[in-house]
Amino acid sequence: MLVVISCPSCGHLGRVPKGRIGHKVRCKGCGNTFRPDKAMAQPPPEEISRAGIGRSSKQGIAAKREPAPIREGEGEKPPELGLSGWLKRPTVIDGAIAGALGGILSGLVIGAITGGMNAKPRAMELNPATGEVLRRASSGVLAGVMGGGLTGLGTGFLCGVFLGGLLGMLAEYFQVGFSASRRALVFGMTTGTCIATIIRGSDQFEISDFPWIGFGIVLGAIGGSVWSLLQSWEQAADAPFTSGFQVEEETPPGAITTKDEG
């Protein structure tokens, strides 16, 4: 059974197995290492409910201690109303970030390639009186690549944030049951499609631009997946602290081993 303990340094609440009381634990909140004792431990709220303790008893415990950490999906505050409330929701934030990354990658790559392909060569300039070369001929590809890349970067970021956030709001409103990784992939692909269409179809959209749209879908999917990958790394790094404290592997103080007795 898990018991609730609090860090003596920062007050962070977490759960550790009851049988591990006396071992060193490391706090997730401040990194402090300490040994919880029996006086610090109390049963989780669900154990108290199953034991049939009355409401007055619960209020007495809450008056002495802070409430245990609430699991995801339980006891959450109702979402705020209005546009500001929608913009603070995790699905909308994730959509804006995934869309921005997908838009940036697709806009930067497609914009740079398109700018280089559309670059106009610069003719050689001569001094009409002496025939001296004032400027040598150049292709202008480098300038086209840099200009197109920067334009695509800005377009991809602005459109990606807006479009990804809008898709996140729609997913939140209709309660679309996609996982976070799948949402990031879909948001990135949608943003990449729109950015490729904007960049390649700015003059006149042609059938030859369809392969570029497919390229934008791939780039957008990669950009959206980057955000999903970063979230997975964060969860993996946080895995040792699933109960709020990390139990150090050691012998509890005062324990006597067979070797010591001999």
Side-chain angles (χ1 to χ4, degrees):
M1 183 183 73
L2 295 177
V3 293
V4 177
I5 61 174
S6 62
C7 175
S9 296
C10 66
H12 176 76
L13 292 173
R15 306 182 186 197
V16 296
K18 184 177 180 180
R20 306 293 291 186
I21 295 296
H23 283 257
K24 281 185 178 181
V25 297
R26 184 156 57 92
C27 176
K28 175 184 176 181
C30 64
N32 177 50
T33 302
F34 65 98
R35 296 180 187 273
D37 55 19
K38 294 182 179 180
M40 301 175 61
Q42 66 172 354
E46 56 268 22
E47 293 292 336
I48 297 175
S49 300
R50 283 199 294 265
I53 298 178
R55 189 170 186 178
S56 59
S57 300
K58 293 182 181 180
Q59 291 177 352
I61 294 173
K64 295 179 181 179
R65 300 177 182 270
E66 296 181 8
I70 300 172
R71 292 183 298 180
E72 184 178 357
E74 295 183 0
E76 295 179 354
K77 295 182 179 179
E80 298 180 15
L81 300 177
L83 181 60
S84 61
W86 278 97
L87 295 179
K88 294 178 182 178
R89 299 192 179 188
T91 305
V92 180
I93 296 175
D94 288 345
I97 296 176
L101 292 176
I104 287 173
L105 183 59
S106 57
L108 180 63
V109 175
I110 297 179
I113 297 175
T114 302
M117 293 174 59
N118 295 335
K120 297 179 180 180
R122 297 178 180 178
M124 179 184 297
E125 293 185 4
L126 302 176
N127 189 334
T130 61
E132 182 182 359
V133 177
L134 299 178
R135 187 181 66 182
R136 297 184 179 277
S138 61
S139 62
V141 173
L142 180 59
V145 168
M146 294 180 63
L150 291 176
T151 302
L153 176 65
T155 304
F157 174 75
L158 295 176
C159 294
V161 170
F162 174 78
L163 184 59
L166 180 61
L167 292 174
M169 293 179 67
L170 293 176
E172 180 73 19
Y173 181 78
F174 291 104
Q175 297 295 316
V176 179
F178 283 172
S179 62
S181 58
R182 188 172 297 180
R183 283 200 308 266
L185 183 64
V186 172
F187 294 166
M189 292 173 62
T190 306
T191 305
T193 303
C194 294
I195 296 303
T197 304
I198 292 173
I199 294 177
R200 294 298 304 178
S202 57
D203 296 331
Q204 184 178 357
F205 191 78
E206 300 176 353
I207 298 179
S208 60
D209 293 327
F210 280 103
W212 289 97
I213 295 178
F215 190 37
I217 293 175
V218 174
L219 293 174
I222 295 174
S225 299
V226 169
W227 175 238
S228 177
L229 183 62
L230 291 176
Q231 288 180 311
S232 300
W233 285 348
E234 182 181 3
Q235 293 175 0
D238 199 48
F241 300 101
T242 52
S243 63
F245 295 95
Q246 183 179 18
V247 179
E248 303 289 340
E249 294 294 336
E250 65 166 9
T251 304
I256 300 176
T257 61
T258 307
K259 184 176 179 180
D260 294 336
E261 292 177 350

